[in-house]
């Protein structure tokens, strides 16, 4: 006879392991960056490396390659749009991860910091999406504002994540697991690297605009690539936090209600 299967016979409609999700969300922006840079060097070298100073440069900036030319801008926008929903889910999920431990008398403050951190993560992702859709050639001021928003929230999020892990996973005499210790170590290294490289990149950006020296803007561009890659790698440390223990999926709402009741 026809009819729908009982709920218990079809509990989950779709499921993806977190390691697979991490591979997708990290590889998409990496592939897009590599494609945009290589394609620009091969087919749009002069235009992509040209600046108002009119001096020789050998590398284009991220802003130039993702928004100034086609098909680069389309590849970048598609990859960023595809990876964004998973990033938004992770931003929300990390609140549950952080608040799964109790830190004692200051637990309410700890939960508030965790909430702020998830909000910063959401703003970081949305800033990246919007700066990808609004190129510097289309609206320079808005693109610059969104880039600043992305960098400020990204760096603050990294710092708060490290603080929360030390506070919740290492505080009050708690000994972190091997996975937690590994995650915290890589997060700390990548944050310090990202912050240092970004600071040097800002210096070269100032040097280029102040003195118009040949090649200085290319040094800024090279450091900009490292900022992007280290940011992606930082978010990839999700693997050690929840990557082995969780699966993302879609289940029938009646099944979820039944499980909560049990």
């Amino acid at each position: 006879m026809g009819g729908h299967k009982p709920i218990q016979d079809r509990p989950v409609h779709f499921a993806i392991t977190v390691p697979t999700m991490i591979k997708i969300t990290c590889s998409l922006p990496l592939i897009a960056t590599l494609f945009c840079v290589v394609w620009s060097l091969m087919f749009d070298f002069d235009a992509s490396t040209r600046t108002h100073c009119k001096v020789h440069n050998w590398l284009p900036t991220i802003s130039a390659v993702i928004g100034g030319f086609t098909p680069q801008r389309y590849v970048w926008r598609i990859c960023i749009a595809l990876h964004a929903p998973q990033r938004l889910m992770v931003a929300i999920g990390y609140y549950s991860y952080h608040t799964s431990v109790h830190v004692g008398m200051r637990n309410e403050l700890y939960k508030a910091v965790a909430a702020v951190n998830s909000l910063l993560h959401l703003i970081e992702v949305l800033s990246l999406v919007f700066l990808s859709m609004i190129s510097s050639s289309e609206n320079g001021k808005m693109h610059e504002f969104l880039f600043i928003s992305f960098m400020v929230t990204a760096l603050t999020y990294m710092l708060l994540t490290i603080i929360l892990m030390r506070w919740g996973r290492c505080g009050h005499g708690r000994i972190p697991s091997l996975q937690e210790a590994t995650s915290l170590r890589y997060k700390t290294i990548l944050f310090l690297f990202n912050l240092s490289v970004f600071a040097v990149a800002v210096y070269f950006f100032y040097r280029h605009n102040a003195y118009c020296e040949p090649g200085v803007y290319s040094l800024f561009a090279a450091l900009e690539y490292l900022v992007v890659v280290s940011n992606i790698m930082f978010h990839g440390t999700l693997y050690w936090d929840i990557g082995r223990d969780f699966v993302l999926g879609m289940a029938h709402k009646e099944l979820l209600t039944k499980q909560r009741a049990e």
Side-chain angles (χ1 to χ4, degrees):
M1 295 181 63
H4 296 290
K5 293 182 180 180
I7 293 173
Q8 61 267 27
D9 293 338
R10 49 182 178 85
V12 178
H13 298 280
F14 167 80
I16 180 172
T17 63
V18 172
T20 300
M21 185 200 70
I22 294 171
K23 291 177 183 178
I24 294 172
T25 55
C26 290
S27 62
L28 282 173
L30 281 174
I31 291 171
T33 301
L34 181 63
F35 172 83
C36 291
V37 173
V38 172
W39 192 276
S40 297
L41 289 174
M42 291 176 62
F43 301 104
D44 301 293
F45 179 81
D46 291 335
S48 64
T49 57
R50 186 183 304 126
T51 71
H52 69 280
C53 288
K54 298 181 180 180
V55 294
H56 176 71
N57 284 290
W58 38 272
L59 270 182
T61 63
I62 293 290
S63 295
V65 301
I66 69 173
F69 311 96
T70 56
Q72 297 94 306
R73 75 172 68 177
Y74 302 130
V75 172
W76 175 263
R77 289 175 179 178
I78 290 171
C79 288
I80 294 301
L82 288 175
H83 104 299
Q86 293 90 334
R87 289 281 306 279
L88 294 172
M89 285 191 292
V90 169
I92 297 171
Y94 252 120
Y95 175 77
S96 296
Y97 169 77
H98 288 306
T99 55
S100 63
V101 296
H102 197 283
V103 299
M105 295 180 59
R106 303 179 69 185
N107 195 61
E108 291 304 313
L109 175 60
Y110 174 79
K111 290 170 65 176
V113 175
V116 170
N117 204 40
S118 289
L119 177 61
L120 288 170
H121 195 170
L122 289 171
I123 297 173
E124 176 194 348
V125 177
L126 293 175
S127 296
L128 175 61
V129 171
F130 287 123
L131 75 84
S132 300
M133 302 307 166
I134 304 173
S135 68
S136 57
S137 59
E138 294 168 334
N139 191 326
K141 290 186 177 180
M142 179 59 68
H143 182 85
E144 181 181 359
F145 170 78
L146 291 168
F147 175 75
I148 293 172
S149 173
F150 168 75
M151 285 305 308
V152 169
T153 53
L155 289 169
T156 309
Y157 164 77
M158 290 181 188
L159 177 60
L160 284 183
T161 298
I162 293 169
I163 292 173
L164 285 167
M165 288 197 68
R166 290 187 179 277
W167 190 355
R169 305 283 159 172
C170 305
H172 300 276
R174 187 180 186 277
I175 300 176
S177 66
L178 178 61
Q179 287 180 224
E180 291 168 345
T182 302
S183 176
L184 182 56
R185 182 172 66 253
Y186 281 122
K187 279 181 170 65
T188 303
I189 293 171
L190 289 167
F191 166 69
L192 293 175
F193 179 82
N194 187 275
L195 179 62
S196 301
V197 171
F198 178 67
V200 179
V202 171
Y203 167 73
F204 280 123
F205 182 80
Y206 163 77
R207 283 283 297 269
H208 167 73
N209 284 283
Y211 304 108
C212 285
E213 299 166 292
V216 170
Y217 206 55
S218 295
L219 293 174
F220 163 75
L223 293 172
E224 198 178 29
Y225 302 157
L226 293 178
V227 169
V228 170
V229 172
S230 58
N231 176 275
I232 294 170
M233 293 174 66
F234 184 96
H235 290 293
T237 59
L238 169 70
Y239 173 76
W240 287 286
D241 297 333
I242 62 175
R244 301 181 182 183
D245 303 318
F246 290 83
V247 173
L248 295 178
M250 293 189 298
H252 198 284
K253 64 180 182 179
E254 293 182 20
L255 176 67
L256 298 177
T257 303
K258 179 180 178 182
Q259 289 179 337
R260 291 194 188 100
E262 294 175 351

